[in-house]
Amino acid sequence: MQRKAAKNHIEKIVKSSCEMARAQYGIKYKYGYPSLWNDPKETKRVKRMAELVAGKENIVELPLQMAMEDFSYYMLERPGAFFLYRCNEEV
């Protein structure tokens, strides 16, 4: 659903920009990897587990970003949460 909304949004922007400039346009839209969207319920569950294992003070929430990952295909079949795990050199 998000992919179709993104495509429609892009087409709307291009169309209105070209209409203002009295220009013609054509769009070839190619779908690549599915968007990676974390399930809110699963995200909360993963965050709780990470806080138990690593400590709440060591959990960092990153801002939203465009992501492309094979894991997105799994997320089409089952709810899940993609997360990053980083180890410091300091122990």
Side-chain angles (χ1 to χ4, degrees):
M1 186 63 172
Q2 296 93 352
R3 299 179 93 179
K4 187 173 182 179
K7 180 183 177 205
N8 291 340
H9 188 65
I10 290 168
E11 288 177 1
K12 185 178 177 180
I13 291 169
V14 171
K15 180 181 178 188
S16 62
S17 297
C18 289
E19 284 175 351
M20 286 189 299
R22 294 188 179 124
Q24 295 179 341
Y25 69 95
I27 297 175
K28 289 184 181 180
Y29 197 89
K30 181 180 177 186
Y31 288 104
Y33 278 78
S35 299
L36 181 58
W37 292 88
N38 284 344
D39 178 80
K41 183 178 175 185
E42 293 300 316
T43 301
K44 286 179 186 176
R45 190 166 72 101
V46 168
K47 184 178 178 186
R48 279 195 315 268
M49 288 188 291
E51 288 172 350
L52 288 172
V53 172
K56 197 172 191 172
E57 68 281 0
N58 294 310
I59 305 303
V60 177
E61 289 192 45
L62 300 173
L64 291 176
Q65 53 188 319
M66 295 289 280
M68 186 172 66
E69 171 60 45
D70 290 347
F71 189 73
S72 61
Y73 286 105
Y74 292 110
M75 303 275 279
L76 293 175
E77 301 297 322
R78 299 279 188 273
F82 183 80
F83 63 96
L84 302 173
Y85 180 80
R86 178 176 173 227
C87 295
N88 267 341
E89 294 177 8
E90 301 172 14
V91 178

